[in-house]
Amino acid sequence: MPQGTPHESLEKLLNPRSIAIFGASDNVDKIGGRPIYYMGQHGYRGTIYPINPQRDRVQGLRSYAALRDLPHTPDLAIVAVAGQGAVDAVDACGAMGVGAAIVIAAGFSETGAVGRALQDAMTQRARAAGTRIVGPNSQGMANFGTGAIASFSTMFLEVPPADGPVAVISQSGGMSAMIYGLLRQRGLGVRHMHATGNEADVTVSELACAVLADPDVRIVLLYLESLQDAATLARAAALARARGVPIVAVKAGRSAGGARAAASHTGALANEDRSVTAFCERHGILRARDPQELARYAELAMRGPLPQGKRVVVVSNSGASCVLASDAADDCGLEIAPLAASTQTALRACLPGFATTDNPVDITAALLSNNGLFGEVLPAIGDDPAADMFVIDIPVAGRGYDVASFARDTAQFAQRARKPVAVVAWQADVAAAFRDQGVTVYADEQQAMQAFAGLARLGRMHAQPPLPVEEGETSASRASAHVKDVRAAGATGTLSEAASLALLGRCGLPVTPHAVCRDADTAVAAWRRFGSAVAIKACSAALPHKSELGLVDLNVNDEPSVRAAIARQHLIVQGLHVAFEGWIVAPMQPALQECMIGVHADPVFGPIVMAGGGGKYVETMQDVAVLLPPFGLQEAESRIRALRIGALLDGVRGEAAADVRALAQLMVDVGQLALDAGPALQSLDLNPVRVRPAGEGVVIVDALWEGAADIRSDRHQTRAKVDNEP
C-alpha cells in the first residue's frame, strides 16, 4: 500500500488537473466518449487528453496516438479499452508516472482465478511505479464540485447533476448510480460519486477517508459487497465523528445467496454479516438494508443534529394518521411519550376544545379554517421533555389549505428546535412545498418512523465514544504471558475438552472442577471425591460434539451407574477409532440459566466475541450478542440484557435474577483473552456456561479451543493436574 494518508495518495483521483482517456471516442454514447462529453458540459477546468491513434481530434479536442505523445504527464488516466489493451494502458501509466488510473475494463478477478492473477500482476506493477488504480470493472468517479466526471454512467443524462453535500462511494457502479438517482429525486445535491469495482488497489474505505477532507461534505453514503480494509474504514469513521458527519452504509450479501452473488460480482470475499454489524456498531456507522432506505436515512441525517433519544411527537390534522403513526413508531421501537401538563395547557390555548392535546396531537379539520395552526402548535411542543423528534403528518391537503405557509412554519420550527423534523405527505405538490423549504418528507408513516429509528440508533452510537475496558487487570490479561508462550509454538492444533478447560483455568476463567479418568475405577473414585451427582463425558480432540454420539451421561450419582456409563461409552468410542484421552468426570453445576460464549477469528475484523442462550439449541435460536474486543463491562451487560434470553436472566414468575454481571465479565475476559492469544485462537466455544443467581457467578461446563497453536505438551500436564486435583 502506498505511503501517506489516504487523502494525500488519492488527491490526483479526486481533484485531477489533467485527465487522459484511453479509447477516447467522438460518440458520446460510448464508454470512451461519455466522460469527455460530461466534463465539457459540467465545467471541468483542467486539461483533457483524448488518446485514440485513429483520430486527430475527438469531440473538438486534439487527440494523441499514445500516452507517451502527451506534452505533459496527466494526473489521471481513464482506461476505456478492453482486454490486453487495458493492461498495456496501465503499464504505460506506470512507466510515465501517471498518478492514478481508473480501469473501466472488466474480465479480471470477477471472472475467476485466471482473471485474478492478471489483475494482481497488473496492480503490483502499478504500485511499484506509484500509480494508484481504481477498478478494474469500475464505472468511474465523479466530482461535481470540480466537474471532473471520469465516469460513463448514463444516470447523469437521465437525472441532471447538482453539486451538494453528499458523497456516495460504492463497490458497484450500478448501485452508485441508483443511489445518486434516489438522492436527486429527493432534491439532494451530490458532490462525490465514486465506484471502486474490484478494488485491486483503491478501496471504498480509502475514498471515505479522502472525501471527508472535503469541508463541504456533510454525509457519506457507502455501498459494500465485501469489506477488505476494515482498519481504514474505522479511521474514516473516526474522522467522520470528529467532524459530526454521519456515515450510512448498505452492506449487501447478508444472506448466503447474497454473499455468493457478491463474490461473483466484485471478485471479493463476502464478510459474515454479524461481524459487519458488530464492526459498524463499534465505529458509529449506521447500516441501511437497501439503497432506498439509505436515501431516506440520508435526507434526515444530513439536515441537523442527531436525536438524543427515541421519543417522537406526532402532529396531524387526521385522527387516523395519528393512529397509524403511533403503530409505526411502536413497530420501529420508538416511543410516543405523553406530553407535559404545561405543554398541554399551551396547546389548549391555541386549539379548539375538540382537538387532542396529548401525543399524538390531533389538530383536526380546524387547520382548514386556521392555516396558522402549525405555526402556533409547533412552538408549544418544541421544548417538551417527551420530544426528541417530530413528525408532521398531512394525509390530504388541497384547495383551502395554505400548504406554503405550513412548509414555512415547519422549516422555521426545525431551525429553532435543532431536533429532527420530518413530514409525512404522499401528494407530490404537498411534498414539493416542504422540500423547497429544506424539510425532509416521507410518503407514509412507516418510512418516516423507520428513518427516525435509524437516526436514533446513530445518535446513540455517536453519543457514546467507544467504551474502553474498565481499569484494572482482567483475569484473562493476567494469563496473557502464558497464552503468548502457547502462541509461539507455531503449529496447528485443536484441543480436547479437558485441555481446553485446563488452559482456560490457567488463564483465570471460572471452569468447572473436573477429573480426567482412565477407567471405571478412577471414575468411581472421582465421583466419590466430588460427593455429588456428576457428568461423565468421553474426552478426545477428535470428538468436539459428544452428545450427538451418545458420549455424555448426566446426573450420575451411584457406583453402578458410573460403571455402566463408562462401559457404554467405551463401546461407542471403540467403534469410532479415534485417539482417546479418557473420561471427564465433573460435578453437576446447579444454575438458573445456560448460556454460551464464543469467539471466531474473522480474517478482516479480528476476533469476534458472541454471547447468548446456550445448550443444544444455540444454533437454532440465533439469539446472540456480537462484539469486537476490547469492550467494557457495561457494554457487554447491556447487549446481553437486550437478547431474548435477557428477560429470563432477570427472572420471571418469581424466579431469582441470574448473575448477568458475572456473565458480562466473562464475555469481557474472553474478549481480552482472544486479543492476547492472537492466531493461537481461531475459535473458542464455551457451551454451556451455567449462570448462577445474582452474586454467585458463572461456571464454564464445556469448552472447545481451536487454533493455530499446538499445545499437546500441555495436555499431559493438564491430565496429571486434573487427575490429582479434581
Side-chain angles (χ1 to χ4, degrees):
M1 189 65 67
Q3 298 299 310
T5 68
H7 175 57
E8 290 170 347
S9 63
L10 301 184
E11 179 66 24
K12 292 182 180 180
L13 270 170
L14 296 180
N15 299 295
R17 294 166 298 180
S18 54
I19 302 175
I21 300 97
F22 289 87
S25 174
D26 267 327
N27 188 339
V28 299
D29 289 327
K30 288 190 174 181
I31 290 175
R34 203 167 284 158
I36 301 172
Y37 172 77
Y38 285 151
M39 287 188 280
Q41 290 291 306
H42 297 289
Y44 176 61
R45 295 183 179 180
T47 304
I48 300 174
Y49 296 118
I51 299 177
N52 186 329
Q54 307 302 319
R55 294 182 180 274
D56 294 330
R57 303 191 72 80
V58 172
Q59 297 187 41
L61 300 173
R62 179 184 172 185
S63 179
Y64 298 85
L67 185 67
R68 62 179 176 271
D69 297 328
L70 301 187
H72 303 287
T73 300
D75 284 346
L76 174 65
I78 302 172
V79 180
V81 292
Q84 186 60 40
V87 176
D88 293 341
V90 172
D91 287 342
C93 289
M96 193 169 173
V98 177
I102 298 173
V103 183
I104 292 171
F108 290 89
S109 66
E110 78 280 3
T111 65
V114 174
R116 175 169 291 280
L118 182 66
Q119 174 179 298
D120 290 347
M122 177 183 70
T123 304
Q124 289 171 6
R125 293 192 298 271
R127 284 178 174 173
T131 299
R132 302 302 308 269
I133 292 179
V134 171
N137 194 23
S138 168
Q139 195 174 83
M141 300 176 61
N143 182 338
F144 297 109
T146 65
I149 305 175
S151 169
F152 68 92
S153 175
T154 60
M155 186 58 68
F156 309 147
L157 298 172
E158 304 298 323
V159 183
D163 190 16
V166 183
V168 178
I169 311 170
S170 170
Q171 288 172 333
S172 163
M175 283 299 101
S176 68
M178 181 180 181
I179 294 166
Y180 161 89
L182 291 169
L183 295 168
R184 295 294 297 117
Q185 284 179 358
R186 291 181 170 274
L188 303 178
V190 176
R191 167 66 57 85
H192 297 275
M193 178 181 144
H194 308 315
T196 59
N198 289 1
E199 295 196 347
D201 179 16
V202 175
T203 65
V204 164
S205 303
E206 282 188 277
L207 284 170
C209 286
V211 300
L212 283 163
D214 185 335
D216 293 327
V217 168
R218 296 209 307 270
I219 189 166
V220 177
L221 307 180
L222 309 178
Y223 175 83
L224 301 163
E225 291 176 352
S226 66
L227 180 53
Q228 306 172 71
D229 193 9
T232 302
L233 186 55
R235 186 161 65 247
L239 292 171
R241 291 182 70 170
R243 280 194 53 202
V245 173
I247 296 181
V248 188
V250 172
K251 169 59 178 68
R254 290 180 288 111
S255 65
R260 287 193 299 271
S264 65
H265 182 197
T266 63
L269 295 175
N271 306 103
E272 204 279 327
D273 195 61
R274 288 183 297 190
S275 300
V276 175
T277 296
F279 174 85
C280 289
E281 289 175 347
R282 181 175 183 84
H283 296 289
I285 298 171
L286 177 62
R287 287 191 73 177
R289 291 184 62 85
D290 52 46
Q292 291 84 355
E293 188 172 74
L294 186 78
R296 292 195 294 269
Y297 283 162
E299 186 172 5
L300 193 60
M302 63 177 281
R303 282 183 165 152
L306 297 173
Q308 301 301 304
K310 58 180 181 179
R311 297 160 301 180
V312 183
V313 174
V314 177
V315 180
S316 180
N317 62 331
S318 163
S321 293
C322 289
V323 174
L324 289 172
S326 298
D327 287 346
D330 185 70
D331 289 343
C332 297
L334 301 173
E335 296 178 10
I336 304 291
L339 298 176
S342 58
T343 301
Q344 296 194 49
T345 299
L347 288 173
R348 281 191 287 269
C350 59
L351 290 175
F354 51 83
T356 302
T357 59
D358 200 0
N359 188 18
V361 180
D362 179 8
I363 62 178
T364 73
L367 181 62
L368 186 59
S369 58
N370 179 5
N371 282 292
L373 270 183
F374 275 129
E376 298 174 29
V377 167
L378 294 177
I381 63 175
D383 294 327
D384 192 278
D388 296 311
M389 299 166 279
F390 302 90
V391 169
I392 316 301
D393 198 335
I394 306 175
V396 177
R399 185 171 177 175
Y401 289 96
D402 188 356
V403 176
S405 71
F406 301 165
R408 286 193 300 271
D409 290 342
T410 303
Q412 292 171 4
F413 167 71
Q415 290 177 353
R416 290 194 303 268
R418 299 292 296 160
K419 295 178 181 179
V421 176
V423 168
V424 172
W426 63 271
Q427 291 171 279
D429 56 342
V430 176
F434 282 93
R435 284 204 172 101
D436 287 345
Q437 294 293 326
V439 178
T440 300
V441 183
Y442 297 107
D444 57 50
E445 292 81 7
Q446 198 70 31
Q447 286 187 5
M449 294 304 178
Q450 286 172 348
F452 272 141
L455 208 65
R457 290 196 301 274
L458 188 61
R460 289 195 296 272
M461 289 188 285
H462 278 223
Q464 298 181 357
L467 290 171
V469 177
E470 279 79 356
E471 291 185 5
E473 191 179 42
T474 66
S475 57
S477 66
R478 288 195 297 271
S480 62
H482 172 76
V483 175
K484 290 175 181 175
D485 288 343
V486 170
R487 183 175 58 190
T492 59
T494 297
L495 305 189
S496 69
E497 179 183 349
S500 298
L501 289 171
L503 175 58
L504 296 176
R506 290 198 296 275
C507 292
L509 301 186
V511 300
T512 184
H514 59 282
V516 177
C517 305
R518 307 293 184 277
D519 51 34
D521 290 339
T522 54
V524 168
W527 162 70
R528 293 189 188 282
R529 289 197 299 272
F530 288 127
S532 65
V534 296
I536 299 175
K537 298 178 282 186
C539 183
S540 169
L543 301 173
H545 303 292
K546 298 176 286 294
S547 58
E548 292 93 333
L549 300 172
L551 296 174
V552 177
D553 284 270
L554 302 177
N555 290 302
V556 181
N557 202 21
D558 59 58
E559 181 175 341
S561 297
V562 172
R563 294 186 180 278
I566 296 295
R568 186 185 62 81
Q569 290 187 23
H570 188 250
L571 288 175
I572 296 173
V573 170
Q574 282 183 318
L576 295 174
H577 305 290
V578 296
F580 182 56
E581 297 180 22
W583 286 270
I584 293 176
V585 177
M588 298 297 298
Q589 294 287 347
L592 295 176
Q593 296 293 338
E594 283 191 343
C595 291
M596 60 77 63
I597 292 177
V599 175
H600 164 66
D602 187 279
V604 174
F605 303 112
I608 308 291
V609 180
M610 297 160 283
K616 63 182 179 180
Y617 301 118
V618 61
E619 291 88 358
T620 303
M621 297 301 293
Q622 295 291 306
D623 181 32
V624 294
V626 181
L627 289 169
L628 274 67
F631 48 84
L633 181 61
Q634 179 182 348
E635 185 176 6
E637 186 171 351
S638 67
R639 295 298 300 277
I640 291 169
R641 291 188 183 281
L643 297 171
R644 291 194 294 273
I645 197 176
L648 299 179
L649 292 168
D650 284 335
V652 294
R653 301 179 67 87
E655 292 179 351
D659 201 336
V660 178
R661 175 61 61 92
L663 182 63
Q665 183 62 60
L666 178 58
M667 195 177 180
V668 171
D669 288 348
V670 167
Q672 185 61 50
L673 175 62
L675 291 174
D676 287 343
L681 178 58
Q682 294 300 302
S683 69
L684 177 63
D685 184 14
L686 311 182
N687 182 26
V689 174
R690 297 189 65 87
V691 187
R692 295 165 170 159
E696 297 184 22
V698 297
V699 61
I700 301 166
V701 174
D702 198 346
L704 178 64
W705 176 298
E706 185 173 353
D710 184 354
I711 55 174
R712 285 174 297 180
S713 59
D714 286 330
R715 295 182 185 178
H716 303 291
Q717 300 169 12
T718 298
R719 181 177 297 163
K721 178 178 180 180
V722 295
D723 279 345
N724 295 327
E725 302 174 27

